[in-house]
Amino acid sequence: RLGTSVAMDANGTRVAIAAGYGSTSGDTSNKAGNVIIYTLSGTTATREAVIVAETNYLYALNFPTFGGCISMDKLGERIVVGHAGVTAGGLTNCGQAHIYKRTGTTWAKEITFESDYNYDYQGNGVAISGDGNTVFMTRGAGNGNSNERAQTHAPSVKIYTRSGTSWSLQTEINSPAGIYQNNRFGGLNTGAVGSISCTNDGNILVIGDGGASSNGSSNNKHGKAWVFTRTGTSWDSGVALTPSGSLGTNDGFGTRATIDDNGTVIVV
């Protein structure tokens, strides 16, 4: 499953490609997942590194999670890798997101963000700003009442900012749609699909919700995309992008969403 998710730097000289069922440590049966990084020169691609999953929980879950969603900064110095289905710290499918930093041609893990809830699937959607100073990760998206946290909390996006090599939580944005079983705020619960993107400076964030209802219906699943803007360290309450009334039930508008570097064009 090479190509589960892909990311590239601004100059097109470095590309990361996730292999959702990639093997690790020479064990071709574990399918734990990995991310392969290539450098590009003209039409020649050279493998620079392979970032492997640290656990083998993936295969038993029957869906790809390590690298289910990845994002690289514009300089090709940092990459964030979602691992939404991982079991860690005694919590089942809590999910993680990892940041790896490049020094020369060597990639090393800088930090791991973990959830504190069972079945939270944190990291099913991830994004890093072009300047590498802000990282976004979804949690609890699209698992409804079978998600321990989602029984009392709306799906959300955590936002972390960097100072040097230290990361701190800036805020957490809850889905404006609230708690409902079809909520796909930021992606699917399996972690194989992420729907989150940000501008180069990380000040505008677009989040897809392919399961949202619109046009007055409570369950048509037309889908929506949400746009949030940061001023200083504060985030606004968001603006909803909705499809036209001609779209049908289960169209999933917002299954994918991306924004350009300057925040002038959004594609949903």
Side-chain angles (χ1 to χ4, degrees), residues 50-230:
V50 178
I51 300 172
V52 301
E54 298 178 10
T55 64
N56 295 338
Y57 288 107
L58 173 63
Y59 182 58
L61 298 174
N62 296 319
F63 56 77
T65 56
F66 186 82
C69 190
I70 63 176
S71 179
M72 180 182 287
D73 67 10
K74 296 303 177 183
L75 294 177
E77 293 183 349
R78 283 182 171 83
I79 182 172
V80 55
V81 179
H83 197 176
V86 70
T87 292
L91 298 173
T92 303
N93 304 154
C94 59
Q96 297 175 334
H98 313 275
I99 295 179
Y100 298 89
K101 183 181 181 299
R102 178 178 62 85
T103 302
T105 59
T106 301
W107 289 83
K109 188 172 71 173
E110 185 170 74
I111 190 171
T112 293
F113 303 96
E114 293 187 0
S115 171
D116 51 359
Y117 285 88
N118 290 297
Y119 306 105
D120 204 23
Y121 299 103
Q122 178 170 289
N124 71 324
V126 296
I128 190 169
S129 60
D131 58 18
N133 293 328
T134 308
V135 69
F136 307 87
M137 65 194 71
T138 59
R139 65 183 304 198
N143 206 45
N145 294 330
S146 63
N147 183 313
E148 179 186 41
R149 178 177 173 274
Q151 293 178 30
T152 55
H153 297 74
S156 65
V157 173
K158 285 182 171 180
I159 303 174
Y160 290 86
T161 56
R162 179 176 65 87
S163 176
T165 58
S166 298
W167 292 86
S168 58
L169 180 66
Q170 182 176 76
T171 193
E172 186 169 0
I173 297 176
N174 292 321
S175 168
I179 304 170
Y180 67 100
Q181 191 160 358
N182 296 319
N183 201 322
R184 297 292 187 264
F185 189 70
L188 297 178
N189 63 326
T190 61
V193 178
S195 182
I196 182 170
S197 178
C198 66
T199 53
N200 186 67
D201 57 12
N203 287 333
I204 304 177
L205 173 68
V206 58
I207 302 171
D209 182 358
S213 296
S214 60
N215 303 326
S217 171
S218 61
N219 195 37
N220 58 33
K221 303 179 189 176
H222 282 174
K224 291 182 180 180
W226 305 91
V227 183
F228 299 89
T229 301
R230 177 172 60 181

Side-chain angles (χ1 to χ4, degrees), residues 211-266:
S213 296
S214 60
N215 303 326
S217 171
S218 61
N219 195 37
N220 58 33
K221 303 179 189 176
H222 282 174
K224 291 182 180 180
W226 305 91
V227 183
F228 299 89
T229 301
R230 177 172 60 181
T231 302
T233 59
S234 299
W235 289 84
D236 67 11
S237 57
V239 174
L241 305 179
T242 58
S244 68
S246 61
L247 289 184
T249 298
N250 296 320
D251 271 3
F253 180 86
T255 300
R256 292 285 198 283
T258 188
I259 189 170
D260 70 347
D261 285 347
N262 299 318
T264 56
V265 178
I266 294 172

Side-chain angles (χ1 to χ4, degrees), residues 4-55:
T4 299
S5 185
V6 296
M8 181 180 279
D9 67 359
N11 296 322
T13 58
R14 186 169 275 105
V15 61
I17 306 173
Y21 275 7
S23 61
T24 61
S25 303
D27 181 355
T28 59
S29 65
N30 65 29
K31 299 182 181 180
N34 55 46
V35 176
I36 306 171
I37 298 175
Y38 294 92
T39 56
L40 309 176
S41 177
T43 58
T44 301
T46 303
R47 181 179 292 190
E48 181 175 71
V50 178
I51 300 172
V52 301
E54 298 178 10
T55 64

